[in-house]
């Protein structure tokens, strides 16, 4: 395992652990998801660049398009939650249920 | 070059630690900006300037601006920085975990062995990733259409989610 591979795989694992263990704000969870997506983008790009398979280099762009969808849906949920519950703290979603 | 690469990779992991250790979302967004910038440096150092430009312009310029703007919705009176106690505890735990796992692989990383093996690359002006991304318009046309369709669908999803309190998909009951 080269240092670059170690860097992006540990970045992915750190984002996953942050998403799994800390859920105080909804926005923090979304930011951890974005960090995981960023490490996946770097991983796909490095796959292309290190193996010289240049026809594969459209796949990080497609990953970026799909992750834009994920981020926009998550932020729309954040806005909707803020409008109905007052803040994005995930405790409020349990406290104020009817 | 070796030192610059190790510095970039170290700051990339440190930025993800800063995101994952759960500070207030302002500071987590700042950590993600650091990760994106260091990722641009890593991609440039591996010989992919177009992908790095995409990452910098589209990701950092487009998506992270929206994230930083949405951090205003997560405002709290006493924000937690990396200096406060639970955050610095998880920072230490994460850094220790990364160092422990990295210690397993440390023996295989010889200090001076960071060199590129491709030859005749320096005579070409265009790097391979520009041509590869342009393949999206010929061979990968189906995936291009699917991506555009998914983005259009997401537009309607977002409009429906944030429409309003009495007509939208989410409403207060």
């Amino acid at each position: 395992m080269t240092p670059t591979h170690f860097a992006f795989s540990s970045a992915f694992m750190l984002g996953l652990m942050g998403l799994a263990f800390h859920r105080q704000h909804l926005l923090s969870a979304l930011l951890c998801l974005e960090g995981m997506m960023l490490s996946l983008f770097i991983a796909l790009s490095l796959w292309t660049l290190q193996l010289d398979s240049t026809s594969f280099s459209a796949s990080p762009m497609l990953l970026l398009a799909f992750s834009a969808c994920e981020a926009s849906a998550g932020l729309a949920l954040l806005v909707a939650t803020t409008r109905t519950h007052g803040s994005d703290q995930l405790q409020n979603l349990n406290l104020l249920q009817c | 070059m070796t030192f610059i690469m190790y510095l970039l990779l170290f700051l990339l992991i440190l930025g993800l630690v800063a995101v994952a250790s759960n500070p207030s979302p302002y500071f987590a967004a700042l950590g993600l900006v650091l990760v994106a910038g260091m990722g641009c440096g890593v991609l440039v150092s591996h010989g992919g300037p177009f992908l790095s430009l995409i990452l910098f312009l589209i990701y950092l310029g487009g998506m992270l601006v929206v994230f930083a703007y949405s951090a205003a919705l997560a405002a709290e009176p006493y924000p937690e920085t990396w200096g406060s106690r639970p955050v610095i505890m998880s920072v230490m735990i994460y850094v220790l975990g990364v160092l422990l796992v990295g210690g397993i692989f440390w023996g295989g990383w010889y200090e001076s062995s960071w060199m590129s093996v491709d030859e005749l690359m320096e005579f070409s002006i265009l790097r391979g990733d520009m041509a590869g991304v342009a393949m999206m318009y010929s061979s990968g046309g189906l995936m291009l259409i699917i991506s555009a369709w998914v983005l259009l669908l997401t537009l309607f999803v977002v409009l429906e989610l944030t429409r309003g309190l009495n007509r939208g998909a989410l409403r207060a009951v």
Side-chain angles (χ1 to χ4, degrees):
Chain A
M1 184 175 273
T2 63
T4 320
H5 292 133
F6 174 71
F8 69 72
S9 44
S10 63
F12 183 82
M13 286 312 291
L14 279 172
L16 189 60
M17 286 167 70
L19 177 65
F21 293 144
H22 306 296
R23 290 186 298 259
Q24 191 185 357
H25 288 280
L26 181 58
L27 189 55
S28 298
L30 288 178
L31 283 170
C32 285
L33 267 178
E34 282 301 306
M36 288 166 63
M37 197 290 304
L38 190 55
S39 67
L40 282 183
F41 182 88
I42 294 171
L44 277 178
S45 306
L46 287 177
W47 185 7
T48 300
L49 295 172
Q50 288 187 337
L51 297 183
D52 280 339
S53 58
T54 55
S55 62
F56 196 69
S57 67
S59 64
M61 309 274 300
L62 299 171
L63 177 78
L64 201 63
F66 289 136
S67 78
C69 299
E70 169 256 324
S72 58
L75 285 177
L77 280 175
L78 175 76
V79 170
T81 309
T82 310
R83 287 169 81 176
T84 53
H85 288 81
S87 85
D88 77 328
Q89 305 240 346
L90 288 182
Q91 285 286 334
N92 287 355
L93 300 186
N94 289 330
L95 275 179
L96 299 179
Q97 64 185 355
C98 296
Chain B
M1 196 63 200
T2 308
F3 179 71
I4 290 177
M5 280 305 291
Y6 272 100
L7 188 67
L8 286 177
L9 295 177
F10 177 70
L11 284 180
L12 190 135
I13 294 181
L14 204 64
L16 241 300
V17 167
V19 176
S21 61
N22 198 24
S24 286
Y26 317 109
F27 305 110
L30 188 65
L32 207 56
V33 168
L34 177 69
V35 175
M38 293 308 124
C40 285
V42 170
L43 290 186
V44 160
S45 307
H46 278 84
F50 187 71
L51 289 173
S52 170
L53 199 65
I54 289 294
L55 184 62
F56 200 76
L57 289 182
I58 306 295
Y59 188 80
L60 198 58
M63 292 168 67
L64 270 186
V65 167
V66 182
F67 267 92
Y69 181 71
S70 312
L73 294 177
E76 47 189 1
Y78 302 107
E80 290 198 346
T81 61
W82 295 293
S84 61
R85 183 174 289 265
V87 179
I88 197 86
M89 281 301 287
S90 45
V91 165
M92 285 175 137
I93 289 173
Y94 285 143
V95 168
L96 204 64
V98 168
L99 286 182
L100 277 181
V101 180
I104 300 174
F105 304 106
W106 185 263
W109 302 340
Y110 301 106
E111 182 74 25
S112 59
S113 68
W114 201 295
M115 58 183 75
S116 86
V117 291
D118 48 14
E119 44 188 325
L120 299 179
M121 287 271 185
E122 59 266 21
F123 297 119
S124 170
I125 295 176
L126 293 177
R127 302 295 303 199
D129 56 343
M130 296 187 194
V133 169
M135 290 274 287
M136 192 168 62
Y137 295 102
S138 59
S139 307
L142 189 60
M143 281 307 287
L144 185 70
I145 291 173
I146 288 175
S147 303
W149 175 254
V150 167
L151 282 173
L152 184 66
L153 182 65
T154 310
L155 176 67
F156 287 109
V157 166
V158 167
L159 283 180
E160 194 66 29
L161 277 176
T162 60
R163 175 188 291 244
L165 290 183
N166 52 356
R167 282 183 299 150
L170 287 185
R171 63 188 80 176
V173 288

